[in-house]
């Protein structure tokens, strides 16, 4: 067969092209029949587990069933009968080799050497394992022949069986204890959950009561502060005299003042009549309050405090004497204002006599009699009437009258304040 007409085979493991020995093409049918006889199967080779040590792994194929796998036809159609015969012979040979082993054929020289090395290693392992089994079998035979060893083993077996029975009994007891423990654990868990719920309810109640307590404490502190503030205000009010706080009598130059209002007029200082009338209203209100404080009922007169238009009522004649003016001096027919001021001085004299009746040591700085005020230090007397009188004299009389009222106010304040304290 020439080089231009030949059949090429590939190694079934590495897929490299193979160069077959020419003697393979000359095998006759008788030789093939002998080779087809059954032989002992080759040892099992686990190619899948050994795939890591191999470069490639290909699944086995049957050359006899292949139409183009594993070989290549090269040549012209004139030599098809010779090529077909060679292909059939070599395919049958390789298929027989593949059927009698677990390795597909053909193989190249290197793959064959690798396969032989694997088979040799498996053979060595199998021989070692067979030797170990043989040694173990010999040991068993020797132990079986020794009757005392068998009896000891039987006794040991009985003891082990007895221990097993006891252990099984203990196991059953432990299982029962475990079951009881699980039941107790479940009960404890249930009780714990119940206690946790009770604790949660308790803390809710505690928080609610704590909140109420804090609110009550805040309210108590607020009330305590209010009480202390009220007590402080009460102490201040106890120490405060209503007359002194309401009626402040003082002086401003030649004028006597009550609550800052000047009572009097001067040519150089023409005080407005509205201020004079206001001062008279405050003066009437003061004397009226002092009389009520000592429970004094005036004879013949009744004080009527009415602001800028205060007046004195003459009870016997049922007429009113005004204590306010509108301007003008020395008008003979206008004497009601003068009569009212004289009547007021008489009311102040009644207050003085009432106080002296209860307190012999009481004495006013200026004497009052028939509409006049006497200054004992100088012996001069000053009329409270404006008619036939100078503005200077009348203003001084008003100042002395307010001074007497201030002394009466001080006496009432000291007496009734000491009574309230006691």
């Amino acid at each position: 067969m020439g080089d231009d007409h030949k059949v090429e085979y590939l190694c079934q493991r590495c897929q490299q092209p193979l160069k077959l020995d020419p003697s393979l093409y000359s095998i006759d049918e008788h030789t093939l029949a002998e080779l087809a006889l059954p032989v002992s199967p080759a040892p099992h080779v686990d190619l899948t587990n050994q795939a890591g040590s191999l470069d490639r792994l290909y699944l086995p194929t049957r050359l006899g069933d292949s139409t183009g796998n594993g070989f290549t036809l090269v040549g012209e159609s004139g030599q098809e009968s010779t090529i077909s015969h060679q292909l059939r012979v070599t395919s049958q040979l390789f298929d027989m080799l593949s059927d009698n082993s677990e390795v597909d054929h053909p193989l190249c020289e290197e793959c064959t050497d690798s396969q032989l090395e694997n088979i040799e290693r498996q053979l060595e392992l199998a021989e070692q394992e067979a030797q170990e089994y043989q040694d173990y079998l010999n040991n068993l035979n020797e132990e079986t022949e020794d009757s005392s060893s068998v009896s000891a083993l039987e006794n040991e077996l009985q003891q082990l069986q007895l221990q097993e029975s006891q252990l099984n009994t203990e196991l059953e007891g432990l299982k029962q204890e475990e079951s009881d423990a699980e039941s107790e654990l479940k009960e404890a868990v249930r009780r714990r959950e119940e206690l946790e719920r009770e604790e949660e309810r308790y803390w809710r109640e505690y928080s609610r009561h704590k909140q109420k307590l804090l609110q009550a404490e805040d309210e108590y502190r607020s009330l305590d502060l209010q009480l202390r503030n009220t007590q402080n205000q009460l102490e201040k009010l106890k120490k405060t005299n209503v007359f002194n706080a309401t009626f402040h009598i003082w002086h401003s130059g030649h004028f006597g003042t009550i609550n800052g209002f000047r009572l009097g007029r001067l040519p150089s200082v023409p005080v407005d009549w509205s201020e004079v009338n206001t001062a008279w209203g405050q003066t009437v209100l003061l004397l009226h309050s002092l009389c009520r404080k000592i429970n004094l009922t005036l004879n013949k007169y009744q004080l009527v405090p009415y602001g800028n238009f205060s007046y004195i009522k003459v009870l016997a004649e049922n007429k009113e004497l005004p204590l306010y003016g509108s301007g003008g001096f020395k008008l003979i027919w206008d004497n009601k204002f003068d009569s009212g001021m004289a009547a007021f001085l008489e009311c102040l004299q009644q207050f003085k006599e009432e106080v002296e009746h209860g307190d012999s040591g009481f004495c006013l700085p200026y004497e009052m009699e028939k509409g006049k005020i006497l200054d004992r230090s100088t012996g001069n007397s000053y009329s409270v009437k404006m008619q036939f009188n100078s503005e200077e004299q009348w203003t001084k009389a008003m100042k002395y009258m307010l001074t007497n009222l201030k002394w009466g106010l001080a006496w009432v304040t000291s007496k009734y304040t000491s009574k309230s304290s006691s």
Side-chain angles (χ1 to χ4, degrees):
M1 183 182 299
D3 293 336
D4 295 335
H5 302 88
K6 62 180 179 179
V7 177
E8 281 193 356
Y9 289 89
L10 300 179
C11 177
Q12 297 299 301
R13 293 189 63 186
C14 63
Q15 297 297 308
Q16 295 295 324
L18 299 177
K19 183 178 180 181
L20 300 181
D21 189 89
S23 60
L24 292 176
Y25 301 126
S26 59
I27 298 176
D28 55 12
E29 296 294 336
H30 179 71
T31 304
L32 288 173
E34 291 181 354
L35 291 175
L37 295 177
V39 296
S40 60
H44 176 73
V45 179
D46 191 357
L47 296 177
T48 303
N49 293 334
Q50 298 179 6
S53 61
L54 302 177
D55 294 334
R56 298 179 184 176
L57 176 63
Y58 295 92
L59 296 177
T61 55
R62 302 268 310 171
L63 297 178
D65 299 333
S66 176
T67 59
N69 293 330
F71 62 90
T72 302
L73 294 177
V74 180
E76 296 179 356
S77 59
Q79 299 176 345
E80 288 182 359
S81 59
T82 304
I83 294 173
S84 177
H85 173 72
Q86 294 176 356
L87 177 61
R88 181 177 60 81
V89 171
T90 54
S91 296
Q92 288 181 359
L93 178 60
F94 292 144
D95 287 340
M96 285 187 294
L97 293 175
S98 298
D99 290 338
N100 287 282
S101 67
E102 294 185 1
V103 180
D104 289 337
H105 290 77
L107 295 176
C108 66
E109 185 176 359
E110 292 180 355
C111 293
T112 303
D113 294 339
S114 177
Q115 184 65 26
L116 289 176
E117 290 177 358
N118 290 333
I119 293 174
E120 289 177 355
R121 284 196 297 271
Q122 292 181 2
L123 177 60
E124 291 177 358
L125 293 175
E127 290 177 350
Q128 292 177 2
E129 186 176 357
Q131 185 63 38
E132 291 177 358
Y133 280 122
Q134 185 62 40
D135 294 340
Y136 184 71
L137 179 61
N138 294 332
N139 292 331
L140 288 178
N141 292 330
E142 291 177 358
E143 292 178 358
T144 304
E145 294 176 355
D146 190 356
S147 59
S148 60
S149 177
V150 173
S151 301
L153 291 174
E154 289 179 354
N155 293 333
E156 184 178 357
L157 178 61
Q158 292 178 357
Q159 293 178 358
L160 292 174
Q161 290 176 348
L162 180 60
Q163 291 179 1
E164 181 183 8
S165 177
Q166 294 176 353
L167 291 175
N168 287 331
T169 304
E170 292 180 2
L171 179 60
E172 293 296 330
L174 292 175
K175 288 182 178 180
Q176 184 63 35
E177 291 179 1
E178 181 184 10
S179 177
D180 297 340
E182 290 179 353
S183 301
E184 293 177 359
L185 179 60
K186 291 181 181 179
E187 179 65 20
V189 170
R190 185 191 65 79
R191 180 59 179 167
R192 185 192 66 182
E193 293 176 352
E194 183 178 357
L195 290 175
E196 288 178 351
R197 289 192 295 269
E198 292 180 358
E199 182 182 10
E200 185 178 358
R201 288 195 298 270
Y202 164 77
W203 282 113
R204 284 199 298 268
E205 291 291 332
Y206 172 79
S207 299
R208 184 163 56 253
H209 291 303
K210 185 67 174 180
Q211 183 180 8
K212 291 182 179 179
L213 176 62
L214 294 176
Q215 292 176 351
E217 289 178 351
D218 292 341
E219 185 176 358
Y220 169 77
R221 284 191 291 269
S222 177
L223 293 175
D224 184 60
L225 291 176
Q226 293 179 12
L227 177 61
R228 291 182 182 180
N229 185 42
T230 305
Q231 290 176 346
N232 292 334
Q233 293 294 333
L234 178 61
E235 292 299 326
K236 291 180 180 179
L237 291 176
K238 286 181 179 179
K239 295 177 181 179
T240 302
N241 186 273
V242 64
F243 290 107
N244 290 333
T246 308
F247 304 101
H248 179 64
I249 297 176
W250 200 242
H251 61 84
S252 175
H254 296 285
F255 298 97
T257 61
I258 178 169
N259 291 336
F261 298 105
R262 291 172 292 183
L263 185 57
R265 288 173 62 89
L266 293 174
S268 60
V269 185
V271 180
D272 190 74
W273 276 104
S274 62
E275 183 178 351
V276 174
N277 295 337
T278 302
W280 264 115
Q282 295 291 315
T283 303
V284 174
L285 179 60
L286 173 57
L287 183 58
H288 176 74
S289 301
L290 292 176
C291 292
R292 291 185 58 185
K293 190 66 176 178
I294 64 175
N295 296 322
L296 171 62
T297 302
L298 299 173
N299 295 327
K300 300 190 299 180
Y301 303 109
Q302 179 183 357
L303 294 171
V304 182
Y306 201 62
N308 292 6
F309 301 96
S310 299
Y311 60 90
I312 293 179
K313 186 176 183 181
V314 182
L315 298 178
E317 301 177 5
N318 195 20
K319 66 177 182 178
E320 298 177 357
L321 301 176
L323 289 174
Y324 53 89
S326 58
F329 282 91
K330 301 179 181 178
L331 298 177
I332 299 175
W333 61 87
D334 188 10
N335 60 357
K336 287 186 178 181
F337 186 31
D338 289 343
S339 299
M341 290 188 287
F344 180 84
L345 195 63
E346 185 176 350
C347 292
L348 182 57
Q349 180 66 24
Q350 292 183 31
F351 171 79
K352 169 183 174 292
E353 294 174 355
E354 179 68 20
V355 173
E356 288 177 346
H357 179 72
D359 186 358
S360 58
F362 178 74
C363 180
L364 294 178
Y366 302 101
E367 293 183 4
M368 299 171 292
E369 184 178 2
K370 295 181 181 181
K372 293 183 179 182
I373 297 179
L374 176 63
D375 183 5
R376 289 191 296 265
S377 61
T378 60
N380 297 327
S381 62
Y382 303 93
S383 175
V384 296
K385 297 180 181 180
M386 297 186 65
Q387 194 174 25
F388 308 111
N389 197 3
S390 65
E391 289 184 341
E392 292 84 354
Q393 296 289 324
W394 179 72
T395 299
K396 186 169 289 189
M398 296 295 101
K399 184 177 182 180
Y400 290 165
M401 182 188 68
L402 286 177
T403 303
N404 283 346
L405 268 176
K406 185 174 183 179
W407 279 56
L409 174 63
W411 181 86
V412 172
T413 299
S414 62
K415 182 177 180 180
Y416 287 92
T417 301
S418 61
K419 285 184 178 181
S420 298
S421 301
S422 60

